[in-house]
Amino acid sequence: MENRDFLTQSIMWIVISIGISITVAMFIPFPYSWIVIIGIFLSWNYWRFRKMNKMGSGVGMFGSLSSPFSGNSVNYYCMSCGTKHREAACPRCGSKMKRVG
Ligand SMILES: [Zn+2]
């Protein structure tokens, strides 16, 4: 089910990105259209990355990228009380600050 959602979203993003590229290329002359398109995609990827990061807020890139897919390879340690856990927030003190260990 998650894979299907991911696929649907990926196709949707590809269709939207092609639409944006064509629209930009139609209205802006060649060398500048590329700059605009690249700028749009860079900020867009950044925005998507930020959105994905919200799920595992406070974690580094490695932890947030691996946590939705692999459930057993990464452990988190609460930065407030040091409890080892795999939840979004610490089950003991509720803090969302954690580090990967
Ligand atoms: Zn804690």
Side-chain angles (χ1 to χ4, degrees), residues 77-83 85 89-95 97:
Y77 294 88
C78 175
M79 283 179 81
S80 301
C81 67
T83 303
H85 65 89
C90 174
R92 190 169 157 195
C93 69
S95 170
M97 296 293 287

